[in-house]
Amino acid sequence: MTDTVSAEQERREADLVARVVSSFDDCPDPRLKQLMTSLTHHLHAFARDVRLTEEEWTRGIEFLTAAGHITDDKRQEFILLSDVLGLSMQTIGINNEAYGDATEATVFGPFFVENSPEIPVGGSISAGATGEPCWVEGTVSDSDGHPVAGARIEVWEADAEGLYDVQHDDGRTAGRGHLFTDTEGRYSFWGVTPTPYPIPHDGPVGRMLAAVGRSPMRASHLHFMVSAAGQRTLVTHIFVHGDELLDSDTVFGVKSSLVKVFERQTPGSPTPDGHAVDGSWSRVSFDIVLAPAGT
């Protein structure tokens, strides 16, 4: 509250907050009541702290309306907004507390798609996605070091153009798939070497970033979602060591434990599975540790 606000004005504003909060007194769901009353306190505190003008409030409503209008089954502008404000990472941190050496989680992002193609261990998710071939391998284990057989691994990534398949207008499915670990918890697949790309910035979130002088660029990464019975589902990425955007990822998703060395291989180098590759390729190892369910 600024010094220019009179005691009477402060009393009136505080009285309104109290009346709005009390309107939730009869809410039968204790958790919902907690969420709504806390949200009310924080929203009103923000408006009072910055002395929000009616013009600014209207522009904020227009911004949210525009975010709703551009959102469809292939684009989620509100997830983008949550991401660039760091709220997604904060929520992930709250809900994925540190547990031993369990792999750290990071943002889900707006481009996951259900019912991705299943590939065998050693198969390819690229399905025509442009980019340098990349061999990805590793293991999935629990926090006691035991291999997790049959863990489901969802993977998805952008192509060399910086676009996910759903951002193309031809209905393609590329750069995504799922596979299951073998009896020893091992997995491997072919994808493409991750490259930096901008989040969609042709909408209200992009205009907001431009207005405040922030870049829409994301550091190079490959998405993983790993699930198994009795284990906490992990949503994470791996990032490319040496990427100049690691310290300025626009959604604050980079964690040092998730930065991996993608070793570039010269043309003609033998591949782990004997697959012929035309030109250079890369390889990376990512061992995943799952925390127990409920932690």
Side-chain angles (χ1 to χ4, degrees):
M1 189 69 65
T2 65
D3 294 336
T4 59
V5 178
S6 69
E8 174 59 20
Q9 179 65 24
E10 184 173 352
R11 184 197 65 76
R12 293 181 182 184
E13 293 173 8
D15 178 67
L16 175 60
V17 176
R19 286 190 288 120
V20 177
V21 168
S22 67
S23 73
F24 300 111
D25 284 351
D26 295 330
C27 178
D29 184 332
R31 176 60 174 170
L32 179 58
K33 179 179 178 180
Q34 179 188 15
L35 292 173
M36 296 305 299
T37 56
S38 180
L39 177 65
T40 298
H41 278 297
H42 285 284
L43 282 177
H44 283 252
F46 163 73
R48 298 173 72 196
D49 178 50
V50 302
R51 308 311 296 167
L52 189 68
T53 70
E54 291 183 56
E55 179 184 1
E56 290 164 340
W57 177 83
T58 298
R59 291 180 66 182
I61 295 297
E62 291 171 346
F63 173 86
L64 294 175
T65 301
H69 285 165
I70 203 171
T71 296
D72 58 23
D73 61 346
K74 294 184 177 180
R75 175 169 179 164
Q76 233 303 350
E77 196 76 0
F78 286 102
I79 291 180
L80 284 180
L81 178 60
S82 176
D83 288 350
V84 302
L85 293 178
L87 180 59
S88 297
M89 279 302 299
Q90 189 70 270
T91 304
I92 287 163
I94 291 168
N95 288 275
N96 291 269
E97 294 187 12
Y99 188 94
D101 60 352
T103 302
E104 291 189 272
T106 188
V107 291
F108 191 61
F111 296 116
F112 173 76
V113 175
E114 297 280 0
N115 303 315
S116 67
E118 182 176 350
I119 63 169
V121 172
S124 176
I125 68 165
S126 57
T130 58
E132 178 187 67
C134 178
W135 175 259
V136 185
E137 63 184 354
T139 61
V140 177
S141 61
D142 63 22
S143 58
D144 293 322
H146 303 128
V148 179
R152 180 180 176 121
I153 304 176
E154 291 273 0
V155 286
W156 65 104
E157 63 178 326
D159 59 24
E161 300 173 62
L163 297 174
Y164 289 83
D165 53 2
V166 295
Q167 293 177 281
H168 292 279
D169 57 7
D170 56 7
R172 74 184 69 178
T173 298
R176 72 175 70 245
H178 71 273
L179 66 160
F180 296 89
T181 55
D182 66 16
T183 57
E184 297 181 2
R186 297 175 302 187
Y187 73 91
S188 59
F189 62 90
W190 284 99
V192 296
T193 305
T195 55
Y197 67 86
I199 63 169
H201 55 103
D202 58 340
V205 170
R207 292 192 291 274
M208 183 270 287
L209 291 177
V212 300
R214 279 180 53 187
S215 167
M217 294 299 295
R218 287 226 60 200
S220 308
H221 62 276
L222 171 62
H223 292 265
F224 284 78
M225 181 166 67
V226 187
S227 56
Q231 308 300 318
R232 186 169 74 191
T233 296
L234 171 70
V235 175
T236 194
H237 310 346
I238 52 174
F239 298 88
V240 179
H241 177 76
D243 188 335
E244 62 182 15
L245 295 172
L246 290 175
D247 293 330
S248 59
D249 181 61
T250 197
V251 305
F252 310 99
V254 178
K255 296 184 177 183
S256 59
S257 67
L258 301 176
V259 177
K260 304 297 178 182
V261 175
F262 284 70
E263 300 175 346
R264 179 147 284 108
Q265 310 296 309
T266 57
S269 298
T271 60
D273 63 349
H275 174 71
V277 173
D278 183 17
S280 65
W281 55 285
S282 67
R283 66 184 302 169
V284 64
S285 179
F286 179 38
D287 292 334
I288 298 164
V289 179
L290 300 178
T295 58

